Structures are given as C-alpha cells and as structure tokens.
Amino acid sequence: MTISAERPTDVVASISAPPPSAASSWTQRPGWLSQHLGTAIVGAVLGYVLGHWFGNFVSSSYPYIANSGQNAIADALGLSVGVLGWLLGIGALNYPLAKMIGREGGEEPAVEGWSKYFRYSLDHKTVGMQYIVGVLLFMFTGGLLAMAIRTELLNPTTHVFSPDTYIKIVSEHGTIMMMMATSIIVGPLGNYLVPLMIGARRMAFPRIEAFSFWIFVAGYMVIFSALPFGGFPTGWTGYAPLQTQAGPGMVSYLLGFAVIGLGMMAAGFNIAVTIINYRAPGMTWSRLPIFVWSILATAALLTLATPVLFAGGLFGLLDKTIQTSFYVTEHGGSSYLWQNLFWFFGHPEVYIMALPGFGIVGEIMPVFTRKPLFAYKVAAAGMIGVALLSFFVWQHHLFQSGINPDMRPLFMLTTELISIPTGFIFLVGMGTLYKAKIRYEVPMLFCMALFFNFLIGGVTGVFLSDVPVNVTVHGGFFVLSHFHYTIMGGLLFAFMAGLYFWLPKMTGRMMNSRIGKWHFWTMFIFFNLTFFPMFVIGLLGQPRRVFTYASNLQGLNDFSSVSAFLLGISFLIFFANLMWSMFISPVKAPANPWDSLGLEWQTANPVPPYNFERIPVIMTDPYRYSEPGAPAFADMGDGLTQSSSTTSSDQA
Amino acid sequence: MTETFDKSRGPSETPEEREFELRAQIGSIWSGGRLFIGMYTFLLASLVFSYFYLRSSNNGMEWRPHNQHAPLYYGWSIYLLTVAAALLAIYGQRRLRKGDVADFQVAGWTGVVCGLVALFLQIWEFQKLSFYPGASGYSSTFIGFAVMNIMSLVIGTYWLETTLARSLRLRRELGGDKPELSMAATAQEFRAGVASMAYFWGFLAIGGALLTAMFYVM
C-alpha cells in the first residue's frame, strides 16, 4: 500500500509544485559571521543597556521613582528590550520582518555539525536536542539552589543564610524548577518525537517551534536575573501584596513568567496543530500513540491556560511600573485577583507536567512487557478528562484565602473528581503490568518507580483536596512533600525513562546500562528518603519557606538533608553516564535496541532531515505486541522497512 | 534504510505526497488560526474576569470613585475603526475567494489604514484620561484593557499588512487581474491564511463590542 491508496489523486494535477526556495539571506548561512548564540548574547546585552537607559530617560523625573531610588520602568524596559535583542540576535525576527515586505522564508540551508545547535534551527530534531540541554541547565541550576536550601535546614539555630537570603533562594528554586518542569517533556521529547511518531516530515510551524525554544532560554535568563537584582521574597507563587512591595527582582519574576509563558503558548500551539493536521494517512485518532495523546492534551492546556498567566504577569508588571492597582486592595484592586489568575493557570500547569509523564510510561511499558497497552482508549480518555477537569479546580488553592466558604465543597468535589481519570491512567499502567514478563531495563525501572511515587503523591493529593485536611496542613511541609512526589517523583522519573529510552534514537548512542542502574537506584532510594520524612515533618507543624524550625525536628530534617545531598549525587551519576556514553566511550546504538513497534524507530538512524523517505501509511493499532498474525503497524512505502508486531525478542 | 534525501533540497516527493503536504499545510493554517483565537479568548477573558472581580469586590469603595470614565468619543472611534477594519478584511477575503485580487487589496489597505488610526487613537487616549492608572480598580483595568487593545490592533494590522504585501508578490500565482480562482498551491495556502486573518479581525470586532461596552458605557 502506498499513500495513493489513501488519498484521492484527482486534484493532484491541479496543484503546482512548491515554489523554489527563496534565496537565503546572509543571516541564515552557515559560518560564524551569521546569526547564532553569540550574536544573540550581544543583542541581549545591547538591548538591555538601551532599554534601561531609555527607561531612565523617560521616567526618572517622576516623583515616585525619584523618591524611591528604584526604577521599575527602567528595569522592565531593560529586560524587555534585552529579550527583543536576544531574539533579533538569534534570527527569530528575520522572518516576521521579511513578511512585512511580502517575503516568505525559504527552506533553511542545512547546517552540519555542532554549530547547528547554537542557531535558530527549523529542524524539530535539532530543536528537541536544544531543549534537552536547556532543561538540563535549568534543572542543574534549580538543583544547586535545592542543595542550598537543604544545607540551611541542617540546623535550626546555626544559619548559613539570613532569613531574607533564604526566602529568595527558595523563591528562585521554585520558580526555576516549575518553569523548567512545564517544558521538560514537551520541549525535548515532544518536539523531537511527535512528528516521528505521527509519520510527519516536519512540524506545522517550525519557526514558531524554534521561537518557543529561544524565548524559553530568554525567559530563563530573565528569571535568573532576579538574583543580581536582589531576588524576590514571594516564593514561586508570587502572591500580592508581597509582590507589590518587593524590590526590582520581582520585575524579573513577572517578566520572566510572561516571557516563558509566550514560549509555552508557542510550543503548545505548534504541537497541537501538527498533531491535528500532520498525522500520516491511516493514523486515525484511535491509532495515535499514547504519548502523542498526552502531548496533545498538554498542548491544549498550554495554549489555553497560559494566556491567563501572561495576563496576570502583565497586570503585575503594570502595577510595578506605571503604578496601576490591580493587586493593591487600598486602591480598588485585590491581592486575591492575582491568586485567581495565577492558579487558573497554575493548576492546569500541574497536569501540563503530569500528563506527558503518563504518556511516556504508557508508551514505554508495552515495549518492556511485550503486551498491548491495557485499555488504550481509557488511557486516552483519561488524559482528555484530566485536561478538561483541570480548569475547574483552581479554587482549592484558595481554600484558606479569597474564597466564599460556601464555595469550598464545590471545589473540593471537582478536585476529588479529577482523581477519577487520573486513577484510570494509573490502572491502565497496572493492567499493562499484570501477568507480564517484564524486561527490567533502565527505562522500565524508571517507569515502575513513577507508579510507586505517583501513588504516594496522588493519594496525599486526595487528602489535600478535603477542606479540613487542607486547612490543617496548608503552608507546611506536607504540601511540599506532596507536590514533590507528584512532580519530581512523577515527571522527572518519566523524563529519565524517556531519555534512557529515546536517546539511542536521538543520538545514535546507547546509554550505559550499568551506570544507568546505579543512577536509577540511587535516585529512587534517595528521592524517597528525602521527601517521605517531609510528610512527617509537615504533620508535626514545620512551615514552608521559613529558615528555622522547632529543635525537635532537627533529626528528621538532617535525615532529609543528607538524603537530598545523596540525591544530588545521583544526578551527578546521570551526568557522568551522559558524558561517558555520549562522548568518552560511545557505543553505537542498534537501529531498534528495545524492539519497539513505534513509528519513530522505523525510520533511518540517524534520522534523515525529512524523517521519512516516503510518508508512511498506518495499517493498524500501535501496540500489537506478541500478537501472532497481527499486521505490520505501518507501510513505510519503500518496500524495505516494515514494523512487525512480533519482533526478535518476542520470538526469543 | 538507504539514505535517499538530498539534504540541500529536501525530500523527493511524489505528487500524492505533495498533495498530502499541501492539505496538511492548509489545515494547519485553518486550525492554527482558530486555535489562536481560542488563546486570545482566554487572554481577554482574564481581563473581563479582572474587571468583574474588582467591580464586585469594590475594595475600600475604590472601584470607581468620582464616577471616573474614559473619554467616550475615543472609545467609540477606536471601536468603529476596528469594526471597519474587520468588515474590510472579511469583505476582501470574500472577494479574494471569488478570485478578485484587486478588490482584496483595495479593501485590505483601507483596513490597514483603519487599524493604524485606531492604534494611534488608542495610544493618544492615554493623554486624555482624567484619572491616574492606579486611581481605582476601574482605572487599573482600563489601562490593562488599553494595553491589550494596543496589542490586538498591532497583531491584527500586522497580519493584514503582511498578507497584503504577500499578495503583491504573489500576483501571478493568485491569477493576476483575471477574476478566476487560482488553484496554485501557493494561492490555496495564501487564501487559507487570509481566511484566518479575516476570522481574527471578526473576533476582534465582536470581542471589542463587549470590552467597549464594559469600559466606556457601563
């Protein structure tokens, strides 16, 4: 079967061939004189200086600025123009500017070698690899700040940091980690794998995809710039009125959120449109890989929830700069308004982080159990259900503030309801494991750990949705432990599973299995030893974001801190494995090392620039493992490569 | 699998594959345009929520002291210009769909002028306000509205202008002066983009009615 069997050809004759590519401008040519990371940095620095100077020029005479010694307008303009300079320097604005005189961008010239990773690339695979480095950098920075937090908490009376510095470290850690986590799977694995999994040769809007990455990096730098500006004391939630009273670091927080929000919207928009329109012939909705379902649900959340965060950040910036009073109660605003806007985004964000993790384990487990994914349609429906319900639960974050008490039961109910589709997804995993002959490879170990961790995180989440429990443990370490179990125990373990599983495809090199198992066991054990005691610490009354605590809790805190340091070492093992396997002692990966039926494994290795020699035609469901006589998943169109449902490991 | 791609020129495509890609591209422009409107709806809904939240809270009786109002004639002028630009974009798109490129261009450029004048008035209105940004809940949300409206007008006018600029370069593919529908791939893609742009302007006009009523009339 070829593509013509699925597509009518009667109109083909009326379609002319695509126009020849427009001549690429000098900015797109390979070589160090063109646009790349270096020119982006220069653009950002020049933009910041110019914007800051201009902000001072136009506003320094205003009394409220002259008397305060702070000029938030100059700070905001400096950072905004810096971001613009960054985008201009990397080449993100070439196309929008050329469009104003009617020019369309042509195909990008192929840039070979390492330098393509430092450029504005339109290849989704390059963008995926750029994202991997970007999120690992985020994670490393946020992880160092976590180590600083746990160091401070070693002793309740002897302090390393002042209380002011401590809360700023906590705030920066939370913000960096949450922003990193929103993109940790959608960015690297979503961008790299979705076109391959749906049989597409490209993304729908590759420029928007590249924009999403480079503005994500700019957002990271803006959020990080809060530290030299003195930090911000609000935690990652940025609550007013503290937000309004805080110093210039708060501008970095608000603008950073808005900038990263733009990147999230762009990423979600592009991926959603790609999945809707670029599925290969025969890939009906019921044949979509479960990972793609999860990314689609996530993309819907990214595109619809993030504009609210953007608006909230914009209002906060207006409060900080031109002195509006959105969040100033004394002047007709309301600090609760921020809470509402923030959590309308913030709770779907939790599922922006969780859903792709479920998608990864749903994709990987059939490979290592050699069984079809149990109740595939229930899993897909569960993901859509979670995405829809996530818009109706945000008020549970306001149980203690800013909510009519009569409304609490309603939001308690919606929050408990969301555990039902989440439970479906969990049961799909358990059903897949049931009576399976499991291959305990490193990716599978991480998948199984996710279920263990998420069970604890999920059950404590159900407790927290109940108003009486919520009121009792609010603002304490119990909540902190709960969300670390769901986000780190769920998302980060899934990310690791995905990296170990797909890096051979992405890089052509196998990760070392022995070191990988060391990494897994140390990460799993010390993650639990770090965060489980925090449930107890929280129930015994230790509040979050406070640098001291009751002396009788020191033993548990010390245990947690030492475990956290060892958890940090487990990440060093991962980095060591990455360096060893990719650069020091690389081992060439087989074409399909796990015997997966996934479409992404059926194309050449390394993946060609346009992914597939012929657009494949999908023949059947994606998970027909160990099913004798099942048809091949896809007709690759070249007469050579077909995936079979019974692979070598099944025969073995 | 053998490597058959010419990396400098892209994949070799069969006519069926080219047809598939074209349909996917047109579908992407169509669904992308609607999804963008969905995103924008949530952005504007944040403003509407803020308006009614602060209005109903009326903290310190400071929602709207001294009966503050933004200048009504500016508000109506900006809104009518937005509606005019939207109608012209939609009219132009319909003419283009019938193959009349010249009508599309005349209507479109007039729409660009309307959009730019509306943009100018929206910025100039800051000079004419009788209240400070932080004077009340109303004044704050009004400033938020003005900033978002500037953003909307910039996006809409940019989108309209870029399609017009493109139409000048695509004159031959679009069929020149001949009033017939070109089936060239670039023409089909272009028309899909114009339709999305016209939908966005229609959305701005409808959403603008609600926002204008909220901030200038109520």
Side-chain angles (χ1 to χ4, degrees), chain A residues 246-266:
Chain A
M250 206 71 224
V251 173
S252 299
Y253 167 91
L254 291 164
L255 192 73
F257 256 132
V259 168
I260 286 193
L262 276 177
M264 288 156 62
M265 284 186 267

Side-chain angles (χ1 to χ4, degrees), chain A residues 49-70:
Chain A
V49 171
L50 183 69
H52 201 274
W53 168 82
F54 185 70
N56 271 322
F57 178 74
V58 296
S59 64
S60 56
S61 61
Y62 292 151
Y64 75 89
I65 287 175
N67 297 335
S68 71
Q70 286 181 13

